Amino acid sequence: MRILAMSDAHGNYTRIPAILERAGDVDLIMVAGDITNFGPDEQALEMMGMFDKPTLAIPGNCDLQSICSILDESRAINLHERLWTMDNVAFIGMGGSNPTPFKTPYEIEEEEIAATLDKLAAEGRQKGDYLVLLSHSPPYCTLDRIEAGNVGCKAVADMLGKVDLIVCGHIHEDKGVMEVAGTTVVNTGMASEGSAVLIELDENSGKLDIEMLQV
């Protein structure tokens, strides 16, 4: 399975055609939130309309909560707090972010995120041999560092070792790939600045080949 993952376009889609060209033919596209920059929700229709492959999308903390209704109407699959399968791979989604000092539009308490993810992960393990979490927030202490310190989500960190792959964004300064407790974590960087990730997943062996893209 060949997956193109991106996040944090923040309403600026000018680099996306170049990202798509650089990635080539893919089976699936994943969008890890911050589709807009505090709205308007309808921009999501523009972004999702750029993709001609199955697309999984979640909101970010800089999206309005009402964007979920627009995603439901779009060509994409709204994965926020939901489960979706492709072949023998199960995908679960958690949009928004853990609370921030900035009181952004879509923030969720850690306890609520934890309860949702525990439920989804248990269901996902029953549906697929390989489990992928699409999360806007990175796990705490994993590709989540800003100048002031680590600001990731502790509930997402609790998924380390429980899911096979976490695709996230949110923390623009710390894009990259890490392996923690048997889980591969990918922070895609900012699509608005031409960053994305190409993931080659062997569904049978679980082997990953990950390439950071920059256009």
Side-chain angles (χ1 to χ4, degrees), residues 4-15:
L4 173 63
M6 65 184 77
S7 186
D8 295 87
H10 288 282
N12 179 356
Y13 310 140
T14 55
R15 300 282 187 95

Side-chain angles (χ1 to χ4, degrees), residues 41 44 57-59 63-74 78 80-82 95-96 106:
D41 295 339
I58 57 172
D63 296 310
L64 305 178
Q65 296 188 30
S66 51
I67 200 174
C68 288
S69 296
I70 295 294
L71 288 176
D72 286 334
E73 297 172 9
S74 76
N78 176 11
H80 177 53
E81 298 185 345
R82 295 177 182 172
Y106 210 156

Side-chain angles (χ1 to χ4, degrees), residues 33-97:
D34 281 356
I35 297 163
T36 71
N37 200 43
F38 305 96
D41 295 339
E42 289 72 20
Q43 280 191 312
L45 296 175
E46 178 186 350
M47 185 179 183
M48 299 307 123
M50 302 175 80
F51 308 134
D52 62 0
K53 298 293 184 178
T55 301
L56 303 177
I58 57 172
N61 65 301
C62 290
D63 296 310
L64 305 178
Q65 296 188 30
S66 51
I67 200 174
C68 288
S69 296
I70 295 294
L71 288 176
D72 286 334
E73 297 172 9
S74 76
R75 294 168 56 179
I77 296 160
N78 176 11
L79 197 66
H80 177 53
E81 298 185 345
R82 295 177 182 172
L83 164 69
W84 183 81
T85 60
M86 184 175 188
D87 299 330
N88 64 334
V89 182
F91 297 85
I92 59 175
M94 190 70 226
S97 78

Side-chain angles (χ1 to χ4, degrees), residues 150-186:
N150 298 96
V151 293
C153 179
K154 293 179 181 178
V156 175
D158 286 343
M159 290 293 107
L160 296 169
K162 298 177 183 178
V163 303
D164 300 297
L165 172 65
I166 297 175
V167 175
C168 60
H170 187 44
I171 305 304
H172 308 160
E173 302 91 330
D174 209 4
K175 68 179 180 179
V177 183
M178 286 183 70
E179 298 279 344
V180 183
T183 299
T184 302
V185 182
V186 180

